[in-house]
């Protein structure tokens, strides 16, 4: 701890001597495990664009995928050290044509999200909206990205009250929102998780503990197959299990498989040839499922990105308490090296029981 404080003090002195205003921030020195490369130190305070004093920042899978270096061919910082984090809620300190200083806002990202785990962040105006007064900064940050993906997934699948829906990975950031949105449309919803009570509270009609029962065998019904599966957890394994088993209706009967995780949860793209290895199998499923729609469900990859409209709509739902964003019991994590490392390690373990959020205003 004393070593970190010493490095922070030195960095502030160096920044002042160079005429650069420094701020407290989480800095990643290199690709690697959170405990080895992350610490709370200092970074240059941004000076241009729409600037927000960050109150809370939530983590998404993109944050630890960038940190790990697993997808360094397509997802990497411009240089090291860099400040991770992209889903933030805070107060405008430097406005633009639309937002004024003092307004509370929520902001997310489209492809690269970084800079959020700092006292002040430069945010993208087109992906920034005003925060509803009924939501805390922690709640708003938690909804910034995953909830938009969930909304786009449910709308893209055109879920209706006549559908039987299965959500694989129901306690994650996307899955927990998909469960609620599908229920709001009147669908019968089953899900897999180890957090049984949470998903029951969110309205799921059937909850399967995947560590104790096989969801395919537990939920299989040849007479009443599922209409839609949202795979937020397993990837290609789940598709192979349901593609021809009769668990999910074929495309000719409007059976839909929405792949939030198209291949494997861990994405390795460090060489150019990893790109076709990642995309081609999923693209083949898309094509084959349409050519063989009498026998296979319609396969779709979730490749959409949040927009200002989706962010506005999910925040509005949450402000009216028509949508909950479950937080992990450890959230909000403190803005300390230990707190940030714990948050990243929990998120990377895939055992979080809700969204992982770091609070910066303490």
């Amino acid at each position: 701890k004393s070593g970190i404080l010493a490095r922070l003090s030195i960095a502030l002195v160096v920044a002042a001597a160079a005429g650069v205003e420094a701020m407290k921030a989480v800095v990643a020195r290199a690709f690697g495990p959170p405990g080895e490369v992350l610490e709370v130190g200092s970074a240059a305070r941004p000076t241009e664009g729409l600037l927000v004093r960050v109150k809370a920042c939530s983590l998404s899978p993109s944050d630890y995928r960038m940190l790990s270096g697993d997808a360094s061919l397509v997802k990497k910082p411009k240089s090291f050290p860099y400040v991770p984090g992209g889903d933030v809620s805070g107060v405008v300190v430097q406005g633009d044509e639309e937002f004024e200083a003092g307004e509370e806002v929520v902001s997310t990202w489209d492809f690269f999200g970084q800079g959020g785990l700092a006292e002040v962040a430069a945010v993208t105006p087109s992906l920034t909206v005003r925060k509803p007064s009924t939501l805390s900064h922690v709640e708003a940050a938690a909804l910034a990205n995953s909830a938009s993906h969930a909304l786009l997934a449910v709308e893209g699948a055109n879920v209706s009250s006549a559908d039987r829906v299965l959500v694989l990975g129901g306690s994650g950031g996307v899955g927990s929102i998909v469960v609620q949105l599908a229920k709001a449309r009147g669908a019968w919803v089953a899900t897999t998780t180890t957090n049984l009570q949470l998903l029951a509270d969110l309205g799921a009609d059937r909850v399967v503990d995947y560590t104790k029962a096989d969801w395919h065998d537990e939920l299989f019904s040849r007479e009443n197959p599922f209409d839609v599966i949202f795979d937020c957890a397993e990837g290609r394994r789940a598709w192979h299990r349901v593609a021809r088993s009769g668990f999910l209706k074929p495309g000719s009967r409007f059976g839909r498989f929405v792949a939030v995780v198209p291949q494997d949860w861990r994405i390795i793209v460090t060489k150019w040839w990893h790109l076709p290895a990642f995309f081609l199998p999923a693209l083949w499923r898309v094509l084959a499922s349409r050519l063989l729609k009498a026998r296979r469900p319609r396969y779709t990859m979730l490749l959409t990105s949040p927009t200002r409209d989706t962010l506005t709509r999910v925040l509005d739902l949450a402000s009216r308490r028509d949508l909950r964003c479950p937080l992990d019991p450890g959230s909000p994590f403190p803005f300390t090296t230990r707190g940030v490392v714990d948050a990243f390690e929990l998120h990377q373990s895939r055992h979080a029981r809700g969204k992982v959020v770091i609070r910066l205003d303490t």
Side-chain angles (χ1 to χ4, degrees):
K1 186 175 181 180
S2 59
I4 293 171
L5 291 174
R7 286 195 295 273
L8 175 58
S9 298
I10 293 170
L12 291 172
V13 170
V14 171
V20 177
E21 186 176 353
M23 63 178 178
K24 185 179 177 183
V26 176
V27 290
R29 299 188 301 273
F31 291 135
E36 296 179 13
V37 301
L38 286 179
E39 69 177 9
V40 173
S42 83
R45 186 185 189 277
T47 58
E48 298 181 357
L50 179 59
L51 303 183
V52 172
R53 183 166 296 280
V54 180
K55 299 293 186 177
C57 179
S58 68
L59 299 185
S60 73
S62 176
D63 293 317
Y64 66 72
R65 284 174 181 149
M66 182 181 284
L67 183 68
S68 70
D70 283 351
S72 60
L73 183 68
V74 294
K75 192 180 286 288
K76 62 182 178 181
K78 292 181 180 179
S79 61
F80 288 101
Y82 80 96
V83 178
D87 299 323
V88 302
S89 181
V91 180
V92 175
V93 293
Q94 179 174 292
D96 62 2
E97 296 176 353
E98 182 175 358
F99 299 98
E100 297 181 357
E103 289 192 287
E104 295 186 322
V105 296
V106 186
S107 187
T108 188
W109 51 277
D110 46 12
F111 191 72
F112 291 105
Q114 62 183 79
L117 281 167
E119 289 180 318
V120 176
V123 300
T124 304
S126 62
L127 292 172
T128 301
V129 301
R130 290 172 179 83
K131 180 183 78 66
S133 60
T134 54
L135 295 179
S136 70
H137 286 291
V138 169
E139 291 172 316
L143 288 159
N145 191 274
S146 298
S148 284
H149 283 292
L151 177 65
L152 290 165
V154 171
E155 290 183 342
N158 196 25
V159 173
S160 74
S161 59
D163 287 333
R164 280 168 48 85
V165 174
L166 171 61
V167 182
L168 298 174
S171 58
V174 175
S176 62
I177 304 297
V178 169
V179 168
Q180 296 175 77
L181 294 176
K183 284 300 300 177
R185 289 175 168 233
W188 186 92
V189 179
T191 187
T192 63
T193 184
T194 57
N195 200 351
L196 307 185
Q197 189 58 54
L198 170 64
L199 271 298
D201 291 344
L202 293 180
D205 298 285
R206 181 76 182 276
V207 184
V208 176
D209 183 342
Y210 64 87
T211 66
K212 297 180 179 178
D214 182 283
W215 57 264
H216 186 278
D217 296 344
E218 191 80 6
L219 299 171
F220 185 86
S221 172
R222 193 168 296 280
E223 295 75 26
N224 196 16
F226 279 87
D227 298 279
V228 191
I229 293 178
F230 294 94
D231 179 19
C232 306
E234 295 195 12
R236 56 184 170 182
R237 176 178 178 272
W239 168 252
H240 291 316
R241 298 196 72 190
V242 303
R244 287 176 285 186
S245 69
F247 184 95
L248 180 62
K249 290 179 181 177
S252 58
R253 295 175 57 198
F254 307 108
R256 293 93 83 197
F257 186 100
V258 181
V260 179
V261 180
Q263 282 290 90
D264 298 300
W265 186 261
R266 186 179 180 188
I267 299 172
I268 306 293
V269 186
T270 58
K271 308 292 183 183
W272 69 264
W273 56 84
H274 291 158
L275 283 171
F278 175 77
F279 281 111
L280 288 180
L283 291 174
W284 169 246
R285 290 177 213 130
V286 172
L287 177 62
S289 70
R290 284 150 180 77
L291 294 174
L292 304 172
K293 64 181 182 180
R295 290 183 288 165
R296 295 190 183 184
R298 185 181 182 90
Y299 182 95
T300 303
M301 289 186 289
L302 184 64
L303 297 176
T304 53
S305 295
T307 64
R308 176 178 282 188
D309 174 66
T310 60
L311 182 54
T312 299
R313 286 194 285 151
V314 295
L315 290 172
D316 181 61
L317 287 170
S319 70
R320 292 187 277 110
R321 302 304 172 185
D322 290 330
L323 184 69
R324 284 178 56 193
C325 186
L327 300 176
D328 182 84
S331 293
F333 286 79
F335 188 31
T336 63
T337 295
R338 184 70 264 159
V340 170
V341 169
D342 286 346
F344 268 82
E345 289 180 341
L346 174 63
H347 201 259
Q348 194 168 1
S349 74
R350 300 180 62 199
H351 293 307
R353 292 173 172 262
K355 286 293 288 185
V356 176
V357 182
I358 297 163
R359 186 171 183 172
L360 285 79
D361 64 348
T362 54

